[in-house]
Amino acid sequence: MPRSNKTVCKITIIGPRPYNLGGHDLDNDIRRNIYQKIQEIVQRYLKNNNIVLLGLTGLEMGCEQDFAEICLENKIDYIVYLTHENIEKRWGSYPQYLIDRYTRLLDHSMETHTISDGNYSPKKVMIKNKRLIKEADIILYISHPFKKNKICSILNYCKELDKKVVLIS
């Protein structure tokens, strides 16, 4: 079936950074388990012949990069929404392979949008998350066991916008 006859379904992910997923190493039980769950959910949506998935990601380290990686593996186009300019400058102390992964994923994106000028701030992350939620049809949400207030505010925002949320824990 030609792509033009399918409905575009935008899917995004919201969740914790690597230190809450067992670390930066992709080869740990927590990270591997979550990665597999995301992969299974994406595979289920890919079986629907009436839609074509379009990924939306902030490409922060952790689940957002894992999601972009899954998009690449499944030949799903994705759009990146960066919180601020030169996001990788904050990562100077990280191993080069992590920065290389980010650069590779950024290079493969269909489009890149920068949400805010200037340097990082937590407020910019929330602005980015709200933009992703607003634009997406489906939100994959990885629950964070220690940030109940953040969970409630994100889920309330999704409910306010009548968004489909898939919880991953």
Side-chain angles (χ1 to χ4, degrees), residues 33-168:
N33 183 38
I34 291 172
Y35 193 96
Q36 183 177 3
K37 287 179 181 181
I38 297 166
Q39 181 75 271
E40 289 168 2
I41 292 165
V42 167
Q43 289 293 323
R44 275 198 310 265
Y45 282 106
L46 286 173
K47 289 179 182 177
N48 183 336
N49 291 325
N50 298 317
I51 64 169
V52 61
L53 290 178
L54 176 63
L56 308 177
T57 178
L59 212 56
E60 290 277 352
M61 287 188 184
C63 63
E64 293 180 11
Q65 286 188 13
D66 292 349
F67 177 67
E69 197 77 61
I70 289 167
C71 287
L72 267 180
E73 289 173 14
N74 290 284
K75 297 177 176 55
I76 299 168
D77 289 333
Y78 61 93
I79 298 172
V80 173
Y81 293 86
L82 301 174
T83 53
H84 61 287
E85 300 168 331
N86 303 313
I87 193 171
E88 70 280 3
K89 285 186 178 179
R90 287 188 12 216
W91 302 337
S93 63
Y94 291 119
Q96 187 62 43
Y97 76 91
L98 293 173
I99 296 167
D100 292 346
R101 181 183 193 220
Y102 165 80
T103 303
R104 178 179 55 81
L105 292 169
L106 187 63
D107 288 345
H108 282 90
S109 67
M110 187 174 132
E111 297 174 16
T112 302
H113 302 275
T114 303
I115 303 292
S116 303
D117 294 333
N119 296 323
Y120 169 83
S121 77
K123 182 178 180 179
K124 290 179 182 181
V125 174
M126 187 51 85
I127 292 168
K128 181 248 329 169
N129 286 345
K130 285 186 170 188
R131 173 108 180 248
L132 289 171
I133 291 167
K134 190 174 184 179
E135 294 196 17
D137 301 303
I138 301 165
I139 293 88
L140 306 180
Y141 185 75
I142 300 173
S143 62
H144 187 298
F146 306 113
K147 295 195 175 182
K148 300 293 183 199
N149 290 342
K150 184 177 180 184
I151 292 169
C152 290
S153 74
I154 289 172
L155 293 179
N156 285 339
Y157 187 67
C158 292
K159 186 177 180 179
E160 182 182 311
L161 298 178
D162 197 30
K163 298 293 182 169
K164 177 175 178 59
V165 177
V166 178
L167 291 174
I168 301 171

